[in-house]
């Protein structure tokens, strides 16, 4: 009984040893640097903007983030009803259910989905406002996080950490703000978004990268910390080997991949400048942020006597992540009739079975272009998820091992206590059965909990597009109808039409379409 008491006491000590890990902040300087030309142009633009700041504020249709993002009523979430509503295109019901979930740790994740559903509903002004509000919340949550808080929350379960949005989701939130503004020809709003981008967004992204590095370092430090080492010693004192060496072998290597910047946002920024007749900024922005020249050559150099129309298409939904689901490992504990189990979990990329592989864009003058999405696209957002998963896998696996040690040390104490009771009752047939039942009742839920609760964090915004693509047309000035055919294997999946698109000589017009199938 003395040994049992020791295990219980040690478990309490272990649970109280979660500490913040001091780390050195580093800033990822991988984002493209501003050229001298860009810096001068932006300084000049900033001076002009200060003179007209009040006028600009009154013109912008996007209001501060205090506004409510959706008028949808809160509805109790029911997965079956939600799936049915989504398949039927009843996005208002879906938004209401997402608003009604009330899970604070998942709030931003749910809001990202609600924002995209608002966009799918063709409420582009509402979507633009909603994405701005969600982005501001992402920044707030990130600024309040520290390594100690994240590690402590993750010690019980990864999803206990408040979701703050991945880096690519920050870019996508801004991209969808731009897409929303361009969809309704709100060029002044798009221009305002670009001013904010130059003024604040890149600084915030750099700060986010430094914060993420701090959190990653904290996860690694946890395995070298006193609490982890003490947990191992406690287990070893009872001749218990959890196979920590084998578990460490399952930890993925550190990823050197980086989501340096979003090609889609860089493209949209170039188009937004051009649509505002600011071709100098458009050219310099495209050069600085490495926009494919084939995509924007005629956007920044409209042929003489022509106007230019960019038809932007967003197709499918982004690939997903899932639990690594590594095999359960049985650990035999001396004096226990049954083994306990460990499991190391971290996120891996799952992907999606995408249902659109090409897009045909036709204008009412008879001209058309077909885009092969396997080769021609602005950005494949599945790649962004893969990079994010690779970056998060290693620290998640390290925290998983930490949890295994802490959970098993506490669980073993309970099982040994139950087994001691079983042994003492073995001489009496009447009490032995009751003791056996008591042991089984203690064993089954403990072992099940270790496996069931050991899950990777697979949260993400699920309705962002899979791919963004564009068909550009330099045409005679006039008014056009645009037909977009979304196809798979040559078969049309869905057709959408945008009427009354005006193209003026020497200027850039934009039409945006999406198909979330």
């Amino acid at each position: 009984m003395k040994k049992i008491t020791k295990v219980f006491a040690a478990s309490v000590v272990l649970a109280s040893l979660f500490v913040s890990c001091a780390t050195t902040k580093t800033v990822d300087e991988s984002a493209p640097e501003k050229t001298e030309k860009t810096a001068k142009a932006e300084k000049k633009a900033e001076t002009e903007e200060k003179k007209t700041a009040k006028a600009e504020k009154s013109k912008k249709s996007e209001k501060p983030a205090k506004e409510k993002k959706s008028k949808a009523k809160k509805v109790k979430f029911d997965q079956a009803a939600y799936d049915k509503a989504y398949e039927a295109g009843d996005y208002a019901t879906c938004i209401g259910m997402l608003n009604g979930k009330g899970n604070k740790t998942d709030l931003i994740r749910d809001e990202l989905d609600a924002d995209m559903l608002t966009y799918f509903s063709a409420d582009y002004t509402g979507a633009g406002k909603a994405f701005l509000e969600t982005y501001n919340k992402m920044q707030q949550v990130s600024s309040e996080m520290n390594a100690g808080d994240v590690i402590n929350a993750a010690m019980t379960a990864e999803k206990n950490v408040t979701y703050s949005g991945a880096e690519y989701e920050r870019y996508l939130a801004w991209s969808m703000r731009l897409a929303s503004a361009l969809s309704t020809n709100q060029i002044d709003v798009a221009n305002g978004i670009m001013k904010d981008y130059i003024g604040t967004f890149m600084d915030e992204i750099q700060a986010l990268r430094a914060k993420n590095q701090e959190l990653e370092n904290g996860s690694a430090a946890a395995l070298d910390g006193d609490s982890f080492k003490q947990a191992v010693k406690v287990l070893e004192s009872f001749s218990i080997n959890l196979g920590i060496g084998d578990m460490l072998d399952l930890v993925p290597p550190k990823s050197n991949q980086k989501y340096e910047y979003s090609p889609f946002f860089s493209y949209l920024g170039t188009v937004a400048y051009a649509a505002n007749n600011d071709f100098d900024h458009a050219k310099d922005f495209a050069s600085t942020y490495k926009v494919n020249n084939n995509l924007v050559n005629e956007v920044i150099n409209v042929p003489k006597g022509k106007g230019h129309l960019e038809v932007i298409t967003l197709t499918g939904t982004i690939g997903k992540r899932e639990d690594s689901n590594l095999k359960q490992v049985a650990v035999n504990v001396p004096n226990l009739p049954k083994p306990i189990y460990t499991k190391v979990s971290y996120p891996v990329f799952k992907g999606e079975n995408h249902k659109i592989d090409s897009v045909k864009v036709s204008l009412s003058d008879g001209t058309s272009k077909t885009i092969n999405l396997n080769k021609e696209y602005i950005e494949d957002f599945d790649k962004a998820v893969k990079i994010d998963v690779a970056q998060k896998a290693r620290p998640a696996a390290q925290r998983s091992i930490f949890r295994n040690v802490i959970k098993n040390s506490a669980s073993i104490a309970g099982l040994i206590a139950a087994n001691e009771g079983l042994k003492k009752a073995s001489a009496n047939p009447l009490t032995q059965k009751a003791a056996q039942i008591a042991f089984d009742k203690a064993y089954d839920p403990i072992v099940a909990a270790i496996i069931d609760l050991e899950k990777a964090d697979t949260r993400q915004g699920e309705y962002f597009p899979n791919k963004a693509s564009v068909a550009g047309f330099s045409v005679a000035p006039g008014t056009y109808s645009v037909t977009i055919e979304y196809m798979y294997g040559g078969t049309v999946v869905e057709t959408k039409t945008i009427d009354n698109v005006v193209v003026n000589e020497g200027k850039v017009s934009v039409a945006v379409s999406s198909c979330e199938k």
Side-chain angles (χ1 to χ4, degrees), residues 212-229:
N212 287 341
Q213 186 63 55
E214 177 187 349
L215 302 182
E216 181 178 335
N217 292 344
S219 296
L223 289 180
D224 293 325
D226 292 338
S227 54
F228 183 79
K229 292 176 181 178

Side-chain angles (χ1 to χ4, degrees), residues 32-259:
E33 295 182 358
K34 297 177 183 177
T35 63
E36 183 178 353
K37 183 178 178 183
T38 304
K40 289 180 179 179
E42 288 167 5
K43 187 174 182 180
K44 181 180 179 182
E46 185 178 352
T47 302
E48 294 172 355
E49 289 157 18
K50 287 180 179 179
K51 294 178 181 179
T52 59
K54 291 183 180 179
E56 288 291 339
K57 283 184 179 180
S58 63
K59 289 180 181 179
K60 290 181 183 179
S61 62
E62 284 194 278
K63 296 179 181 178
K66 291 181 180 179
E67 290 197 8
K68 292 183 179 180
K69 62 166 52 262
S70 173
K71 293 181 180 179
K73 294 181 179 179
K74 292 184 179 181
V75 180
K76 185 177 179 181
F77 187 85
D78 177 87
Q79 190 65 59
Y82 180 90
D83 293 342
K84 184 178 180 180
Y86 179 76
E87 288 299 320
D90 181 6
Y91 299 135
T93 295
C94 293
I95 294 170
M97 285 192 183
L98 289 173
N99 290 343
K101 287 178 90 172
N103 186 336
K104 291 184 178 180
T105 58
D106 288 355
L107 180 63
I108 288 174
R109 193 219 75 86
D110 292 336
E111 288 193 353
L112 287 173
D113 282 352
D115 298 347
M116 279 305 303
L117 293 174
T118 302
Y119 183 87
F120 292 157
S121 302
D123 179 6
Y124 302 121
T125 299
K129 293 175 182 177
F131 276 112
L132 174 59
E133 181 180 342
T134 301
Y135 173 80
N136 289 337
K137 289 181 180 179
M138 287 193 282
Q139 289 303 110
Q140 181 179 352
V141 171
S142 294
S143 67
E144 294 173 352
M145 281 187 175
N146 63 67
D149 290 340
V150 170
I151 293 169
N152 289 351
M155 283 308 101
T156 52
E158 291 288 288
K159 292 186 180 181
N160 282 358
V161 178
T162 300
Y163 190 75
S164 63
E167 183 176 331
Y168 73 85
E169 291 179 327
R170 316 285 174 114
Y171 271 104
L172 271 168
W174 277 60
S175 295
M176 294 311 302
R177 288 179 64 202
L178 273 177
S180 298
L182 295 172
S183 294
T184 50
N185 199 34
Q186 296 182 76
I187 305 305
D188 58 334
V189 175
N191 191 44
I193 292 170
M194 293 312 300
K195 291 175 183 177
D196 290 343
Y197 171 80
I198 296 299
T200 63
F201 183 70
M202 286 309 300
D203 290 340
E204 291 171 347
I205 283 293
Q206 297 287 21
L208 175 67
R209 289 172 178 169
K211 177 71 72 171
N212 287 341
Q213 186 63 55
E214 177 187 349
L215 302 182
E216 181 178 335
N217 292 344
S219 296
L223 289 180
D224 293 325
D226 292 338
S227 54
F228 183 79
K229 292 176 181 178
Q230 185 170 344
V232 173
K233 287 181 180 179
V234 169
L235 294 171
E236 288 177 345
S237 72
F238 288 90
S239 301
I240 299 167
N241 180 5
L242 286 180
I244 294 172
D246 293 336
M247 285 196 284
L248 289 172
D249 289 340
L250 298 175
V251 176
K254 182 176 180 179
S255 173
N256 292 320
Q257 293 180 294
K258 297 176 181 177
Y259 189 73

